[in-house]
């Protein structure tokens, strides 16, 4: 009989890709032997590992104690003092890096701007002084609601420089979301822009801020960057142009030292239900985690042009556009606009033009590129690339293969990195010169990360048995709390197992110990007592030549408990119809087994996604059950019309 407490796994992946010899030879971690050696040491004594990494950063005062752990509350590098902006910028001004490009930026309309480390330093100092002149003080919360322009990073670093706590709100969010975040954080200032360019149009950022500010009272100052030159209303006494604010201030802003545990930022993440959680990160530990992971996982070299396509409004933008890469003195490519503007080849044009060597993007983007067709990729020379990365969702093995062959030319290692807003830095990942990769798995834990999969009783499960992904030891970039809600922090992450962090994802480890994420625990299906993760059913569908993207959810079934409903988007050139439905059902039966065969397949133009590109299965589940009404929070939904048309049954 099926054990209905365990998540089952039926998908078998036996393709394996060892790192190319040429890559391994020059890599920091050149073999599995070396990885295992260092990993074992790091787990035997995590504090020693992290302290060695932290020592490579710039501290104004060294710490007294590496870790104080009073579960679930951690303090890292206690007694240490640093200024995060100094570690990310000033630290590189001594030698040749002074004139190295820190940021290479391209706007959606096509203009290019670069900032060397020295220029970045000047801009950060000027803006930090402007913030001070506008009344922003140590510990104040500052909302950053900006397009993807260098000033977004400058604003973050300037806050860090003066000890203000930034809370970046993704530029695609509404006035309502800004209002909620201001209310929850008690922010006193907003940094925004007149607008940002997106798909040829202008996103009216300042107008959204104005609307939000009619409903909150704490904001005293709004600093507005001129980007698009669209007309905006400026409120006398409250609103200041960025260029005016920096006009008369000094470019000298000494980096004050702050405690290692001084808060660096709050980043809101929407749980599946309820109000957004303000994930709180602090300084020394966070920087150590993002620094070390960037260094080893992207195996950064002095001449890399590193491109992470995330928005700074997400944790990936914080950790792997701004803090981690800059702490390493890397050259960062930053792009303002949409991947398909003006044409679906924009990313490949950017790679070719700027000779990007590292590309870090999300499965949702990769699936979109596949859907749009190979001809857009074929037009461009991608030979500069040497390393690829993915983050955000499980990557379907077929999408991984496409990324590997089509973008990586078969020569670039792919680092599939699993982590969360809460973990601050990458937790599960291959090391590109060491780990043989398999399509669809984030492989093994990073140094110092004690990851495991537990059953309901808290016992570690055996190979290929599903369970709950946990982290058993504290790590420096872990969240410290949910802002203003310690109770929710304890309950959400530490309530299930004593002193152990619950990630909220279902997973299994294969015979090599590799971790496979099978989906969010909230999304697990229960078909006739078999608990099935969403990832395998979806990957089985995507492995069919016609399918671009798929989402599997459960709907109530009198006999089976739940039946599988699959929502499928097709690649260009394939026609939806009853015949293809039958083919796909049979295909899933063949790849996974009869138990996972969808009862219903619905073809759709698009799937509902969060603004960071994650499929929102909860909404699909609600559409398939009962009245089809949506009850939970939809503010993070990217495009409501997708849901409306599914509710209306326009797909069938
Ligand atoms: C970085 C980020 C976190 C959730 C996480 C997972 C899913 C992220 C992967 C992944 C499979 C991956 N932060 N997730 N990366 N699942 N493989 N490589 O995305 O807070 O926005 O989301 O995303 O479910 O819990 S996040």
């Amino acid at each position: 009989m099926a054990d209905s407490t365990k998540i089952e796994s039926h998908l078998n992946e036996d393709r394996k890709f060892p790192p190319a010899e040429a890559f391994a030879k020059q890599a920091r971690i050149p073999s599995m032997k070396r990885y295992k050696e260092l990993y074992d040491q790091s787990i035997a004594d995590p504090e020693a590992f992290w302290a060695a990494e932290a020592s490579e950063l710039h501290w104004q005062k060294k710490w007294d104690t590496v870790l104080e752990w009073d579960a679930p509350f951690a303090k890292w590098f206690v007694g240490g003092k640093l200024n995060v902006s100094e570690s990310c910028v000033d630290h590189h001004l001594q030698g040749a890096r002074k004139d190295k490009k820190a940021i290479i930026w391209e706007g959606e309309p096509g203009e290019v701007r670069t900032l060397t480390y020295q220029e970045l330093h000047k801009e950060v100092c000027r803006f930090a002084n402007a913030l001070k002149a506008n009344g922003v003080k140590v510990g104040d919360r500052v909302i950053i609601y900006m397009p993807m322009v260098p000033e977004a990073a400058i604003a973050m670093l300037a806050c860090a420089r003066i000890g203000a706590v930034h809370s970046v709100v993704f530029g695609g969010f509404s006035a309502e979301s800004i209002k909620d975040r201001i209310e929850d954080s008690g922010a006193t200032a907003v940094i925004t822009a007149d607008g940002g360019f997106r798909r040829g149009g202008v996103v009216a950022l300042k107008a959204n801020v104005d609307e939000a500010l009619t409903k909150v009272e704490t904001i005293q100052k709004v600093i507005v960057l001129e980007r698009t030159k669209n007309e905006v209303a400026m409120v006398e006494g409250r609103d200041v142009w960025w260029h005016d604010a920096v006009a008369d201030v000094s470019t000298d802003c000494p980096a004050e030292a702050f405690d290692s545990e001084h808060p660096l930022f709050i980043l809101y993440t929407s749980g599946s239900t309820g109000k957004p959680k303000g994930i709180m990160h602090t300084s020394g530990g966070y920087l150590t985690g993002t620094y070390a992971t960037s260094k080893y996982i992207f195996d950064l070299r002095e001449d890399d042009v590193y491109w992470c396509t995330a928005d700074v409004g997400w944790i990936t933008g914080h950790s792997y556009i701004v803090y981690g890469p800059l702490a390493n003195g890397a050259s960062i490519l930053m792009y303002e606009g949409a991947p398909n503007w003006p044409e679906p080849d924009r990313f490949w044009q950017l790679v070719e033009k700027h000779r990007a060597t590292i590309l870090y993007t999300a499965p949702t983007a990769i699936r979109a590129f596949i859907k749009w067709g190979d001809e857009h990729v074929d037009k461009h020379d991608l030979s500069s690339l040497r390393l690829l990365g993915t983050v955000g969702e499980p990557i379907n093995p077929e999408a991984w293969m496409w990324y590997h062959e089509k973008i990586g030319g078969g020569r670039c290692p792919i680092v599939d990195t699993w982590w969360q807003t809460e973990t601050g830095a990458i937790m599960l990942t291959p090391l590109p010169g060491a780990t043989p990769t398999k399509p669809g798995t984030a492989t093994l834990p990073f140094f110092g990360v004690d990851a495991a999969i537990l059953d309901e009783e808290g016992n570690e499960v055996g190979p290929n048995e599903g369970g709950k992904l946990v982290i058993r030891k504290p790590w420096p970039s872990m969240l410290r709390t949910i802002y203003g809600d310690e109770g929710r922090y304890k309950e959400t992450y530490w309530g299930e197992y004593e002193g152990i962090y619950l990630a909220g994802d279902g997973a299994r480890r294969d015979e090599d110990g590799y971790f496979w994420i099978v989906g969010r625990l909230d999304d697990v299906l229960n078909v006739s007592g078999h608990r099935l993760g969403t990832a395998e059913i979806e990957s089985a569908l995507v492995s069919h030549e016609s399918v671009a993207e798929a989402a599997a959810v459960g709907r109530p079934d009198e006999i089976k408990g739940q039946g599988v409903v699959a929502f499928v988007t097709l690649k260009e050139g394939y026609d939806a119809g009853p015949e293809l439905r039958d083919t796909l059902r049979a295909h899933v039966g063949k790849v996974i087994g009869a138990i996972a065969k969808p009862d219903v397949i619905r073809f759709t133009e698009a799937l509902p996604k969060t603004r960071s590109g994650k499929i929102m299965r909860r909404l699909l589940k609600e559409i398939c059950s009962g009245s089809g009404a949506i009850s939970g929070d939809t503010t993070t939904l990217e495009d409501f019309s997708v849901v409306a048309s599914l509710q209306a049954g326009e797909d069938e």
Side-chain angles (χ1 to χ4, degrees), residues 107-158:
E108 195 185 70
E111 70 272 51
V112 173
R113 244 177 87 194
T114 60
L115 287 141
T116 62
Y117 271 94
Q118 190 167 32
E119 288 162 344
L120 178 63
H121 177 252
K122 188 171 137 200
E123 296 305 324
V124 170
C125 288
R126 285 210 306 167
F127 195 62
N129 281 331
L131 287 173
K132 279 193 204 164
N134 278 284
V136 179
K137 297 183 302 297
V138 178
D140 286 354
R141 274 80 61 216
V142 176
I143 299 287
I144 298 178
Y145 182 65
M146 300 274 280
M148 279 288 288
V149 291
E151 284 80 1
I154 292 167
M156 292 162 76
L157 291 163

Side-chain angles (χ1 to χ4, degrees), residues 315-316 391-394 416-422 505 517 520 614:
I315 190 67
T316 306
V391 56
E393 286 183 296
D416 174 351
T417 62
W418 178 91
W419 60 294
Q420 306 177 298
T421 305
E422 293 86 342
D505 282 352
I517 305 297
R520 294 290 297 169
K614 296 188 209 288

Side-chain angles (χ1 to χ4, degrees), residues 343-363:
E343 296 295 330
D345 68 339
R346 186 63 184 270
F347 270 25
W348 317 123
Q349 205 180 63
L350 277 148
V351 167
E352 180 173 9
K353 177 164 160 191
H354 300 285
R355 306 301 293 155
T357 58
I358 301 175
L359 175 69
Y360 188 33
T361 193

Side-chain angles (χ1 to χ4, degrees), residues 182-242:
I182 293 173
E183 246 168 27
D184 192 79
S185 65
T188 53
V190 178
I191 305 166
T192 188
D194 49 359
F197 289 109
R198 186 86 189 171
R199 290 210 174 85
V202 168
V203 183
L205 298 169
K206 174 62 163 62
N208 288 341
V209 170
D210 290 339
E211 192 187 327
L213 295 194
T214 61
K215 298 173 195 146
V216 288
E217 262 134 43
T218 51
I219 299 297
Q220 327 238 299
K221 284 286 169 192
V222 180
I223 302 182
V224 189
L225 177 78
E226 186 174 67
R227 163 74 187 123
T228 51
K229 296 198 162 71
N230 53 312
E231 208 170 306
V232 295
M234 296 292 278
V235 175
E236 178 88 42
R238 185 196 73 182
D239 300 355
V240 192
W241 286 107
W242 178 301

Side-chain angles (χ1 to χ4, degrees), residues 468-533:
K468 299 181 186 184
L469 176 59
V470 299
I471 314 292
R472 294 182 293 203
K473 285 188 172 67
W475 64 101
S477 63
M478 65 191 270
L479 79 166
R480 297 303 192 262
T481 189
I482 293 175
Y483 189 75
D485 200 345
E486 212 169 276
R488 194 173 176 197
Y489 168 69
K490 288 185 184 161
E491 186 189 307
T492 308
Y493 306 109
W494 308 91
E496 181 106 6
Y497 309 108
E498 185 76 34
I500 291 179
Y501 174 83
L502 180 79
D505 282 352
R508 70 176 163 99
R509 299 185 81 164
D510 68 15
E511 52 291 342
D512 292 329
Y514 285 16
F515 287 78
W516 292 77
I517 305 297
V518 303
R520 294 290 297 169
L521 291 171
D522 301 338
D523 294 333
V524 167
L525 286 78
N526 196 327
V527 183
S528 309
H530 297 271
R531 283 167 48 87
L532 306 173

